[in-house]
Amino acid sequence: MPALLGDTVRVRLELQPDSLVAVPVPPVDSARLEWLRTPPTMRDLVGDRVGCIETDAPHQFNNAVMAYVTLFTSRNRSYMQRVLERENLYFPLFEKYLAQYNLPLDLKYLAVVESALIPTAKSPVGATGLWQFMGPTAGDLRLKRDEWIDERMAPEKATEAACKHLRYLYGVFHDWELVLAAYNWGAGSVQRVMRRTGKKTFWELYPNMPAETRNYVPTFTAIMYSMKYAEAHGLHAPTLRYQYAEPMDTLSLRGRAFDLRRLSQACGYDDSLYLTRFNPELRRAALPAGYRSYVVRFPAAAAVHFGEADRNTLLDYCQPATELPRPLAFLPPRLEGVEPWGNRSLLAATTGPRAEDVEAAPRFRRVPHKVRRGETLASLAERFDVSQSQLRRWNELPKGRPLKPGRELVVFVPIPVAAPGKPAEAIAAVPVATPVPALRVHPAVSDEEVTARREQAEGNAREVARLQEVIRQEKMQEVHLAAIRQRQAVQQAAAEAQARIATRRQAQAAGLAASAKRAEAKPVVPVAETDTEAPVQTASAAAPKEIRENAGSYTVRKGDNLTKLAREHNLTLAQLMAWNELESETVTLGQRLVFQAPAEDAPTPRKAVKNAPAPAKSAVAAAPRPAVEKRLTASQVHLVQPGDTLFNISRRFGVSVQVLRELNHLASDEVKLGQKLLVPQS
């Protein structure tokens, strides 16, 4: 009786040997027990519904599936309701990529099994994201991971990677149940069990799998059924906060430092981390300067808060308020009576003995080079002034194997040391270093010395800026002098053309006079003289009047060009270019032109020089022709051999690459095997 007054569950009753209750009951697993507890009508209803689902995804019904259906629809309804709140946000994205890769659309429920549609979910073993990728698998699928960004948590990139992985697994097993098992356990593990047991289906391999993989496929089927028939089980409720996709806008950073909290404030959100839900792949709320290209996503409706601000203004506002954290420099512990090992940084921050100053500027410059046809290791080494062994070591090239055209090589070209005779160029070439405040190390530097160093650095920076400005002005002066020389050449060519025309006229007049004296019959004016001289005189008399009428400046209008204007005003192209100090025949809309020569020049009408051989452009182009003809007469033919380049040929014959291109009318530096080139004899 005292025992009966307590917990009756723990009372041990003495049963009669002939009682049926005393018969030992074999152990029953949880799935079988849940199956036995479920009413038969409910089992039949769920079985019929699962059988009616038209999909290629696994949907076999058994006691294991029924146990998870009861869990999601009855015992743990809150879990399924949280998933239903995020369904409309992610399922359209999943269906888009599943259709793109020709996979069953119902595989979207796999993300529910993996992460419950939480993009930042992380398992105890390190699987991360909506699709729970491990690190090696993410690396195989080209998902980038570093201390700033983990693309396994990016919904779009992770979904596309999951579709690629599922397509690969189906190509291996050709069975969706085995594909799901391999997605959880690994393709190699499933293949080893299949070879060891000789079984070919998931339910035949079911006893030989770990518990997590055994429950994976039944869980997937139960999730798919519960979400498809959520309305029938009353899982939807008015109190649920459903999430929907909204129009998004983007902001490309292009390597600039960025703080997501500042952008959240600019968008008008009270929560400074509100935008992290749209950029879940960011491991921190900021990115440093110089980071690879990244695009930030934010709701398009928030753009109204920016007003008229452009991209640069917005990026300037989103700069981090403080410098992003960096690892601290190692500083040896200071022990009493023990001096630390001397190093460069420690000596720079203290007043101790200083080592010889070593130039901080880099000694080599990284130059990428794409191998062209005919280039060899020896020619590249000669071109960049390095050794062949260095090229092989820098690019991991095997010895004795030729280079393939199109391969990208890296060459470290030595930077020449500035000569002592040119201090301006040397100082301008060295980058100005921003003074860094000294570290406080015992014994500390006095404040006066720190101020003196800072003032000296600022003075050096000002001197460097002054020298750079002087160099820039000298370069502009050289460009101006070159333009003046070119204009003088054009004027000289026009004067020479006029002189040749005058000489030709005098010779023609002398010939006509001689022929008139020889004619004794009667004086007849030659027809040629009448046809040539009379119009010339008329034009000569009328030209000054016409020029005087148009002596004012002219504004270039739409459709005008220099040739048309010269023809309309009876002038030559050379005269217009010389009078207006033009370097080319191009004129722009609204440009001011004059059609009258300066005071020291006499205007020459167009008809007076209509027999001139060419305008100013032809005269300038013909000026260096004697030198070209001289090179053509004193040149030899070279047949391009294997390994030859235009640079090697120029070095071999002692001429420049520009001369070879002009002499052979080449548009680029490329030459072909067997091509004949004219090379001037040096």
Side-chain angles (χ1 to χ4, degrees):
M1 287 298 296
L4 295 177
L5 297 176
D7 190 357
T8 57
V9 178
R10 296 184 181 182
V11 174
R12 301 183 61 182
L13 300 177
E14 296 292 337
L15 302 177
Q16 299 297 327
D18 58 350
S19 175
L20 296 178
V21 184
V23 179
V25 180
V28 182
D29 61 347
S30 58
R32 179 65 179 172
L33 183 60
E34 192 64 35
W35 174 273
L36 295 175
R37 290 177 178 176
T38 306
T41 55
M42 187 64 181
R43 291 200 302 266
D44 296 340
L45 178 61
V46 173
D48 292 341
R49 288 175 176 175
V50 172
C52 292
I53 298 176
E54 296 182 0
T55 179
D56 293 333
H59 57 287
Q60 181 175 344
F61 181 74
N62 50 30
N63 55 354
V65 174
M66 187 63 213
Y68 282 103
V69 168
T70 305
L71 174 67
F72 295 136
T73 59
S74 177
R75 296 166 54 193
N76 196 2
R77 295 168 57 87
S78 61
Y79 169 82
M80 187 55 58
Q81 288 178 339
R82 299 289 82 77
V83 172
L84 291 174
E85 287 180 344
R86 296 183 285 269
E87 173 187 5
N88 298 322
L89 181 60
Y90 292 107
F91 274 12
L93 175 65
F94 297 163
E95 293 173 356
K96 166 190 168 184
Y97 282 101
L98 289 171
Q100 179 179 343
Y101 285 88
N102 198 21
L103 298 175
L105 297 182
D106 286 332
L107 289 178
K108 60 188 177 183
Y109 299 105
L110 181 61
V112 181
V113 180
E114 290 287 350
S115 62
L117 299 183
I118 300 175
T120 56
K122 189 173 183 180
S123 69
V125 296
T128 308
L130 284 169
W131 300 90
Q132 293 291 287
F133 284 119
M134 296 293 291
T137 307
D140 294 340
L141 296 172
R142 303 294 189 270
L143 294 177
K144 299 178 182 178
R145 296 171 296 126
D146 52 32
E147 61 176 331
W148 301 99
I149 287 179
D150 190 348
E151 291 185 350
R152 293 179 296 177
M153 295 185 287
E156 290 207 18
K157 294 183 179 179
T159 302
E160 187 172 7
C163 292
K164 293 179 181 179
H165 190 49
L166 290 171
R167 185 178 61 178
Y168 160 74
L169 293 177
Y170 187 75
V172 174
F173 296 103
H174 299 284
D175 182 86
W176 284 115
E177 291 178 337
L178 291 178
V179 165
L180 296 183
Y183 191 91
N184 175 259
W185 195 21
S189 301
V190 175
Q191 288 176 326
R192 283 192 294 271
V193 172
M194 293 174 65
R195 286 194 299 267
R196 187 175 71 248
T197 60
K199 308 296 183 180
K200 300 298 181 183
T201 64
F202 172 80
W203 296 107
E204 292 175 346
L205 297 171
Y206 186 85
N208 304 101
M209 292 183 177
E212 181 181 355
T213 307
R214 284 202 306 266
N215 298 331
Y216 199 74
V217 174
T219 304
F220 174 83
T221 306
I223 287 286
M224 179 172 60
Y225 166 80
S226 301
M227 297 189 72
K228 284 181 178 293
Y229 292 94
E231 194 70 36
H233 290 276
L235 293 175
H236 288 287
T239 58
L240 298 184
R241 295 179 296 177
Y242 295 99
Q243 301 178 15
Y244 297 92
E246 54 183 315
M248 305 299 295
D249 204 346
T250 59
L251 177 64
S252 179
L253 303 185
R254 300 177 185 174
R256 298 187 61 175
F258 181 77
D259 191 347
L260 195 63
R261 294 181 289 264
R262 301 279 292 174
L263 183 60
S264 298
Q265 296 174 4
C267 292
Y269 298 115
D270 297 333
D271 185 5
S272 60
L273 297 178
Y274 180 79
L275 293 183
T276 55
R277 68 184 65 185
F278 304 106
N279 303 272
E281 64 271 18
L282 288 176
R283 302 182 65 178
R284 305 184 185 182
L287 289 177
Y291 192 74
R292 58 185 173 85
S293 180
Y294 180 74
V295 178
V296 178
R297 303 173 74 248
F298 60 91
V304 297
H305 296 275
F306 301 156
E308 300 297 331
D310 57 355
R311 174 182 171 274
N312 291 328
T313 305
L314 184 59
L315 288 179
D316 291 340
Y317 177 80
C318 295
Q319 292 292 310
T322 58
E323 188 176 2
L324 294 179
R326 294 181 180 178
L328 297 176
F330 172 75
L331 191 65
R334 181 75 178 180
L335 301 178
E336 185 178 358
V338 179
E339 293 294 332
W341 291 97
N343 52 38
R344 190 178 304 166
S345 59
L346 189 61
L347 291 176
T350 62
T351 57
R354 300 185 181 276
E356 294 294 333
D357 293 337
V358 182
E359 295 182 0
R363 294 181 299 171
F364 293 92
R365 178 168 53 92
R366 182 187 180 98
V367 177
H369 176 74
K370 189 174 183 180
V371 179
R372 299 177 181 176
R373 180 178 297 177
E375 288 184 338
T376 61
L377 204 62
S379 64
L380 291 178
E382 181 182 2
R383 176 178 179 181
F384 292 102
D385 196 16
V386 295
S387 64
Q388 300 184 31
S389 59
Q390 288 176 323
L391 284 177
R392 283 196 297 268
R393 184 172 67 255
W394 293 336
N395 299 277
E396 299 180 357
L397 300 175
K399 194 172 183 179
R401 186 172 298 178
L403 297 177
K404 293 183 179 180
R407 175 165 182 173
E408 292 285 347
L409 298 181
V410 176
V411 184
F412 293 92
V413 179
I415 298 177
V417 182
K422 297 181 179 180
E425 289 89 348
I427 296 176
V430 177
V432 181
T434 306
V436 181
L439 297 176
R440 291 286 183 177
V441 181
H442 183 78
V445 185
S446 61
D447 295 338
E448 293 78 5
E449 188 173 353
V450 171
T451 305
R453 290 182 185 178
R454 185 179 297 108
E455 292 178 355
Q456 184 179 2
E458 293 175 355
N460 293 339
R462 288 193 297 269
E463 182 65 19
V464 169
R466 187 186 66 81
L467 292 175
Q468 290 177 347
E469 180 66 21
V470 170
I471 294 173
R472 187 183 65 83
Q473 292 179 359
E474 290 178 354
K475 291 182 178 179
M476 292 178 60
Q477 187 68 17
E478 291 178 0
V479 173
H480 183 62
L481 291 176
I484 292 176
R485 285 194 292 267
Q486 186 174 3
R487 288 197 297 269
Q488 290 176 353
V490 172
Q491 294 174 0
Q492 184 179 359
E496 291 176 357
Q498 294 175 5
R500 287 195 297 270
I501 293 172
T503 303
R504 190 180 298 110
R505 287 180 188 169
Q506 293 176 2
Q508 187 177 6
L512 291 175
S515 60
K517 290 180 181 180
R518 287 194 300 267
E520 298 177 355
K522 58 180 179 179
V524 179
V525 180
V527 178
E529 186 178 357
T530 305
D531 294 338
T532 57
E533 293 297 332
V536 168
Q537 295 174 1
T538 305
S540 300
K545 180 180 179 182
E546 185 176 0
I547 292 176
R548 284 195 299 270
E549 293 176 356
N550 299 295
S553 60
Y554 174 78
T555 303
V556 177
R557 290 172 289 187
K558 186 176 180 180
D560 286 349
N561 57 70
L562 212 59
T563 305
K564 173 184 174 183
L565 295 175
R567 184 171 63 251
E568 290 178 353
H569 294 83
N570 295 328
L571 299 174
T572 63
L573 198 61
Q575 288 175 325
L576 279 183
M577 293 179 65
W579 295 346
N580 294 277
E581 298 182 355
L582 299 178
E583 299 178 3
S584 65
E585 299 180 9
T586 305
V587 292
T588 58
L589 191 64
Q591 185 176 354
R592 310 287 290 186
L593 299 177
V594 295
F595 301 105
Q596 186 176 4
E600 64 274 12
D601 295 341
T604 303
R606 178 178 178 83
K607 293 185 178 179
V609 293
K610 67 177 182 178
N611 294 325
K617 183 178 179 181
S618 302
V620 176
R625 183 167 296 176
V628 177
E629 294 178 354
K630 182 177 179 181
R631 290 200 297 266
L632 287 173
T633 55
S635 61
Q636 59 181 348
V637 178
H638 172 72
L639 190 65
V640 177
Q641 303 296 327
D644 279 354
T645 62
L646 209 60
F647 177 77
N648 292 345
I649 297 172
S650 66
R651 294 283 295 271
R652 188 181 308 161
F653 290 96
V655 296
S656 65
V657 177
Q658 183 66 24
V659 171
L660 287 179
R661 282 203 300 263
E662 293 178 357
L663 199 58
N664 295 275
H665 305 288
L666 298 177
S668 63
D669 293 347
E670 295 184 359
V671 292
K672 298 181 180 179
L673 185 64
Q675 183 178 356
K676 294 181 180 180
L677 298 178
L678 290 176
V679 181
Q681 296 180 358
S682 59

